[in-house]
Amino acid sequence: MSSAEGPDTRTALRFEGVDVFFDAEFSEVHAVKGFSLEVKRGEVVALVGESGSGKSAIATAAMGLLPANARVAGRIQVGGTDVLGLDEARLRRMRASNIAMVFQEPMTALNPVLTVGDQLTEALELHGIAHGKAADRRAAELLGMVGIPDPHQRLRQYPHQFSGGQRQRIVIAMAISCGPRVIIADEPTTALDVTVQAEILDLLRELKDKLDTGILLITHNMGVVADLADRVAVMFQGRVVEAGTVRDVLTRPEHAYTRTLLAAVPHLGRSGPQAAALPAGGGVAGRDAAGGDAAAGETVRQPVLRARGLAVEYTARGRAFRAVEDISFEVAAGEILGLVGESGSGKSTIAKVVLGLLPVASGELMVHGQNLAALKGRSARAARARIGAVFQDPAASLNPRFPIGECIVEPMVVHGKGNRRSRAERAYDLLDAVRLPRSVVNRYPHELSGGQRQRVSIARALALDPELLVADEPTSALDVSVQAAVLEMFAELQSRYEFACLFVSHDLAVVDMLAHSVLVMRNGRTVEQGPAARVLHEPRQDYTRRLLAAAPVPEPGEQRRRREARRALLAEQPAP
């Protein structure tokens, strides 16, 4: 069939029998095997699978951005033009004008030393769409189209002067600036909190209808797939193992791998066993969520961590900015307190204060009755030895020059605990605890997968038998199946060692699965707190309801109802 007639006129992007090979040092890696897929204008096709399945290789092949050691066979067509036969000059013309890409981290796509206006007009002028004042007007129009307020004024601002969600909107504006037939969106919402994610998904849905643009959505978030996609293809070890409509694949999966992938996705509203285990009081011993007195005879828990009227300030250019104000909570042994809220709400600030990385401006922060803010020298060092930490990016928190065994026992070395033999035994015991083979003890962090590195981070956090563990977004960078395995292991370890845990996350489904109690924050203040089952299933505050309504679930019918309910809620109670 010719490209000038019939259904092919609606085809924005087509892959036919695509194979991608990479030349390695001693062999050739067959990363993508016989990949075939079609994206039509006005539709969203999701490509899902674990890291290493070949998703990103397909995206970069379509953009003509594969590295020099890559070889591609098959056909990739953008609007009827075969990408694989184009020289570099024609590839540059094709990008943006026919195909564009939205990346996971907007700051890697934006130049920090150029204004947003300069970056938008550069694309317009490069492709001959508009010049001079006409390009400025078009750039402002694009910013307005993606929901940036005061677009004419904000053209003169730099990327760092925008929020994360606004930066992603700017990247989307750049992607649509030249009217492409198809946009490849590679994990466009992974780094965003749930409310901003919902706004970006609404924006992509609106733009693809308005501009009649096809979208190839690459993601590991099944809730995002259920919310946005029309069709979905599941990749495993370089092959498409299942494809179909989003309803068929997500509700009636046929392939065993798809069923395994979906079974690993945490689902908001289906609480894990943790939620029922917390005594009434919701993380504030002796008081209910409304602040009333506990019932007579109720067991008073002994808190490991207690905050009372906690306030934290940042100082910039001689002026103090209060990032956290009047926060109170308690966490006892064997309990997990989930800290949730939008970016900038103060969650990570509280985690940093507990770890001693930021000072307390006012209020109390007590660990087993000791005021952390007042401790100095050896006393402060001894108190911090009782606190473990797990960070979001294990690759950044593990020393790349240390073998895994040394990474795990590093806290013991720092605090002068044990000798060489006892430390080695402790490393082996912790590798057993986090379900890693003992053989990895002499390997280096870069030789492990992301999930394995996060297990090492958890093992290191447990090296000193801490009474309190601070986990800041510990699974947000992991695939769903790896995340499920790490969370299962985390819950098992917490039950075995009975440490108190402060768990910071923007993934409400993960918090729902793990946490006993929840503290919802906004603009540095408490919005709502109490038992997880009550706060996440029967919220009392409008903000909590909006937060929960924005969290996608991996079932298309349910997600459509949630999206409609969210719109009704926002119309009734618009966010201030």
Side-chain angles (χ1 to χ4, degrees), residues 13-16 35-39 45-47 216 231 233 243:
L13 176 63
R14 173 181 289 165
F15 301 88
E16 295 180 16
F35 181 86
S36 296
L37 188 69
E38 185 177 75
V39 182
V45 178
L47 192 58
L216 179 61
R231 293 187 293 121

Side-chain angles (χ1 to χ4, degrees), residues 284-331:
V284 183
R287 301 183 67 80
D288 62 21
D293 292 332
E298 180 181 302
T299 302
V300 177
R301 297 170 301 124
Q302 295 299 317
V304 173
L305 175 67
R306 184 180 70 192
R308 283 286 182 270
L310 180 66
V312 184
E313 290 181 348
Y314 290 101
T315 302
R317 297 180 180 178
R319 299 183 63 181
F321 165 72
R322 188 148 285 199
V324 169
E325 180 72 69
D326 194 24
I327 297 292
S328 298
F329 60 83
E330 289 181 1
V331 195

Side-chain angles (χ1 to χ4, degrees), residues 29 65 81 148 240 373:
V29 177
L65 295 174
T81 301
I148 300 293
V240 174

